Amino acid sequence: ITELLLVEALTAAERYAPSAPETQLARGIHAYFYDTDWSIAERRLSRLTREYPNWADGHQMLGIMLRRMDQWPRAVAELEAALALDPRSLTTTAFASTARYMVGHHDAAIELARRAQMIDPSSPAPQVNEVRTLLWGLADTTSALEVLQRTPHDAVYSWMDFVLQLRGDPEGAIRLRERMPMGGQPGSRWQLAMLHRDVGNEATMRMWADSARAMSERGVEACPPAERDTGRWCLQIALAELAIPLAILGDTVAALEAVRASELEHRQFHDGYQSTIGRAFRGLALLELGHWAEATEEYRLLLSRPSFMHPPMLRVTPATRPLRESWPPFLAMLDSIEALGPFLDRSR
């Protein structure tokens, strides 16, 4: 229904005001969201920003879209151009924070997240951005805990279990996670399975892993047709996530098949943002399967581009402990990635 309404509105706008900036923006949004034709969306939005360089909405939408095309330096530049024109925009500030985080500029990401919190203290997104940067970017549990303790929002507080994991308290993480709403995402379930395995609860581990497997299988079935690009990235993530509980349950053949199928979807369609999630899940599944060389390579490819995962977190998270303790090439890989510095600085 939403797409039909947009098409009707766009058709009317093209009839009465075809050259208006709002009409050009709508064309770009339709190409991006509904046709998933990013090359056309990029051309339309780039032309819009050239013709109306002082219109924040055009720069904002172009920056958001460029993330998908893996053009992170341009995405950062466009989002910050929008921010200069409209410094009170919560959406632009939050996206700019995420973009800075993805390219490894953690201090700038935290500063932007705090600016967004000042714009709208009731929104959980800025706090999530700050906590994510502190934990996944810097592995700074002390500062993350300070943020978590001053916000009551579930979307932010749910990160507390990760703090407890990093601090070596899997029992506390289990108690917290089992009290939190899990929704329709299998990730909470296979993470609980891993936590119960860590404390020796074999039966409970299998229960949660089996629940995650069933939910992941439904997720694969629910993806759009693979002929559409949205279906491609959906399948890439869903198949990779299915591989994790299968590996935990010891179904190595099915887990490896899911990993390979996810890799095939990745080769056929690359999304600069969603592909990082698929890589992270495949790396974890391969680690669970004992394919440590392949897991290390998957993490190397993940870290070689802007990503929500960064070396400091991979050095401390319990998930990668087997690689850190028994596979020296993994730590050597992290050293080589960190020696390159933040991605945005490498690309200049």
Side-chain angles (χ1 to χ4, degrees):
I1 295 174
T2 303
E3 183 176 6
L4 289 174
L5 290 173
L6 177 60
V7 170
E8 289 178 4
L10 181 56
T11 300
E14 287 177 330
R15 184 182 306 120
Y16 297 110
S19 60
E22 294 82 2
T23 305
Q24 295 185 48
L25 179 63
R27 290 191 192 109
I29 290 173
H30 188 270
Y32 170 46
F33 279 113
Y34 296 106
D35 293 339
T36 57
D37 191 330
W38 298 342
S39 60
I40 289 180
E42 190 273 336
R43 287 199 299 273
R44 289 175 176 174
L45 294 169
S46 293
R47 182 175 62 199
L48 172 63
T49 57
R50 287 194 301 271
E51 293 180 3
Y52 298 93
N54 296 321
W55 193 37
D57 289 3
H59 290 287
Q60 181 204 78
M61 195 65 240
L62 178 57
I64 291 171
M65 191 276 304
L66 288 168
R67 303 171 310 139
R68 302 291 195 188
M69 298 181 74
D70 213 14
Q71 295 188 25
W72 287 95
R74 283 186 66 199
V76 169
E78 292 297 336
L79 287 167
E80 295 194 348
L83 202 56
L85 293 164
D86 185 7
R88 296 289 299 171
S89 169
L90 175 64
T91 300
T92 304
T93 308
F95 272 110
S97 174
T98 298
R100 283 291 183 182
Y101 165 74
M102 293 286 288
V103 299
H105 283 186
H106 299 130
D107 290 344
I110 290 170
E111 179 186 351
L112 286 162
R114 290 174 179 169
R115 283 172 57 184
Q117 291 171 47
M118 295 175 65
I119 295 170
D120 185 357
S122 67
S123 173
Q127 286 97 327
V128 168
N129 280 355
E130 183 175 2
V131 171
R132 179 188 56 205
T133 303
L134 290 167
L135 286 177
W136 287 3
L138 300 170
D140 183 351
T141 59
T142 301
S143 299
L145 189 59
E146 292 174 0
V147 178
L148 290 168
Q149 288 174 334
R150 67 173 184 254
T151 176
H153 202 289
D154 283 352
V156 184
Y157 195 72
S158 63
W159 286 75
M160 180 68 83
D161 78 302
F162 195 69
V163 172
L164 295 172
Q165 290 180 57
L166 293 183
R167 292 193 163 194
D169 184 6
E171 291 91 351
I174 288 171
R175 288 193 298 271
L176 177 63
R177 185 166 282 279
E178 289 185 341
R179 289 200 307 267
M180 298 293 295
M182 294 187 202
Q185 299 300 319
S188 294
R189 291 162 172 77
W190 54 254
Q191 289 176 47
L192 265 170
M194 290 179 172
L195 286 167
H196 279 288
R197 181 180 61 190
D198 289 345
V199 299
N201 296 336
E202 181 73 16
T204 311
M205 178 273 285
R206 296 193 68 83
M207 178 194 76
W208 283 115
D210 198 55
S211 174
R213 176 198 55 76
M215 184 166 287
S216 295
E217 288 175 344
R218 291 195 295 272
V220 170
E221 294 171 358
C223 281
E227 290 75 24
R228 294 194 59 149
D229 289 341
T230 49
R232 290 276 178 215
W233 70 252
C234 177
L235 277 173
Q236 178 195 154
I237 294 174
L239 287 164
E241 187 155 36
L242 172 61
I244 296 170
L246 288 171
I248 294 171
L249 290 165
D251 193 344
T252 56
V253 174
L256 199 55
E257 286 178 354
V259 168
R260 300 301 180 225
S262 175
E263 290 171 344
L264 179 61
E265 295 299 328
H266 173 85
R267 287 195 295 272
Q268 293 182 345
F269 176 71
H270 178 75
D271 176 323
Y273 186 75
Q274 302 290 351
S275 292
T276 64
I277 301 173
R279 280 209 187 281
F281 286 162
R282 288 196 297 275
L284 184 56
L286 289 164
L287 191 163
E288 288 287 322
L289 289 167
H291 292 221
W292 290 354
E294 282 191 82
T296 298
E297 176 63 8
E298 200 71 53
Y299 283 124
R300 185 192 69 80
L301 292 169
L302 174 68
L303 297 171
S304 296
R305 301 294 303 171
S307 167
F308 65 89
M309 276 194 176
H310 295 214
M313 189 270 283
L314 291 175
R315 289 186 185 278
V316 296
T317 178
T320 59
R321 184 179 295 120
L323 292 176
R324 298 197 307 269
E325 294 180 350
S326 305
W327 188 249
F330 179 72
L331 289 177
M333 180 273 293
L334 293 181
D335 290 340
S336 66
I337 292 292
E338 287 189 313
L340 295 173
F343 177 82
L344 195 60
D345 300 339
R346 288 179 238 160
S347 62
R348 285 174 178 160

